[in-house]
Amino acid sequence: MKTRIAVLCSGGGSNLQAILDAIDAGEIPGQVVLVLSNRKSAYALERARVKGIEARFLSRKELGERYDDVLLEALQAANVDLVVLAGYLSIVGPQVVAAYRGRMLNIHPALLPAFGGKGMYGHHVHEAVLASGVQKSGATVHFVDEEADHGPIIAQRQVPVLPGDTPDALAARVLVEEHQLLPACVKAFCEGRLDEKKRVDR
Ligand code: GRF
């Protein structure tokens, strides 16, 4: 029985694409059945549509406090087993976190617990890393809990911070690792090798 996967995105969806490509290559015993975004213009939705995958824009403006109810309904209606936050720049409400505890992954473009939490998204992360003077950065996949970028870490991949790095250059170097790490963690989940207690170094 293939794991039914939903992917939540807010942007270009290159991490979504990495998962789709790994599935097409037969590397992941799962199928992406739903892609949701809080941004109508997210190219991730287009990536799903061209593959005939249900792709829905959920408007916080229109839905207001019903947003999380509608999100949960959409996930349950699609019989989703695993939720992946791949560049999803919105907070997942507590009822959704509770419903998918241990079955919801997030990828963050830094070595958590450093450079995570409020305001740490996109280029802000890489700017903070560069400003800190650390020699390494990287990507983290973790289980999602009630706090942003806080749940149990599943796996990380490191990259060097190089002299003269710009946020763009560092982001690009980290993204290469994200595209390996996230599919590997999704694969581990689909193969039953992930649980919240056990860290999987990929
Ligand atoms: C990635 O760097 C991810 O770590 C961060 O947002 C970016 C999403 O990129 N959360 P994409 O939309 O998957 O291309």
Side-chain angles (χ1 to χ4, degrees):
M1 185 65 179
K2 280 189 177 181
T3 302
R4 294 174 62 83
I5 304 164
V7 183
L8 277 55
C9 307
S10 299
S14 70
N15 275 293
L16 163 66
Q17 193 64 53
I19 294 169
L20 295 173
D21 293 348
I23 288 172
D24 286 351
E27 291 161 11
I28 297 180
Q31 59 182 62
V32 175
V33 296
L34 179 62
V35 173
L36 298 171
S37 182
N38 60 320
R39 290 198 182 150
K40 198 181 183 77
S41 61
Y43 187 64
L45 294 172
E46 185 56 25
R47 292 182 192 268
R49 289 186 185 116
V50 298
K51 292 189 70 75
I53 297 169
E54 185 185 356
R56 286 178 60 184
F57 160 57
L58 298 183
S59 166
R60 273 204 181 279
K61 196 154 163 262
E62 279 168 30
L63 295 171
E65 61 201 32
R66 287 190 51 247
Y67 184 92
D68 278 312
D69 295 339
V70 173
L71 172 57
L72 185 54
E73 283 158 19
L75 294 171
Q76 292 174 332
N79 287 320
V80 167
D81 304 307
L82 170 66
V83 182
V84 179
L85 309 184
Y88 182 62
L89 302 180
S90 185
I91 297 297
V92 179
Q95 61 172 333
V96 181
V97 171
Y100 284 91
R101 189 179 301 284
R103 303 188 293 151
M104 186 182 295
L105 311 182
N106 180 50
I107 185 157
H108 182 75
L111 296 176
L112 294 177
F115 307 108
K118 194 163 171 41
M120 281 292 150
Y121 60 88
H123 271 51
H124 300 298
V125 176
H126 307 297
E127 284 156 6
V129 167
L130 293 175
S132 75
V134 293
Q135 303 293 307
K136 286 184 296 186
S137 190
T140 302
V141 173
H142 63 95
F143 284 109
V144 174
D145 68 8
E146 284 72 15
E147 269 186 74
D149 304 328
H150 175 267
I153 289 174
I154 295 166
Q156 296 184 305
R157 283 205 174 195
Q158 292 186 6
V159 298
V161 176
L162 300 175
D165 259 345
T166 61
D168 274 345
L170 182 54
R173 194 173 308 127
V174 171
L175 198 58
V176 169
E177 297 307 320
E178 294 179 50
H179 293 163
Q180 302 293 318
L181 185 64
L182 186 56
C185 291
V186 170
K187 176 182 173 67
F189 182 93
C190 294
E191 293 174 348
R193 292 186 284 116
L194 275 197
D195 69 48
E196 283 203 275
K197 267 89 50 218
K198 197 172 70 182
R199 175 174 171 143
V200 177
D201 275 313
R202 316 256 7 104

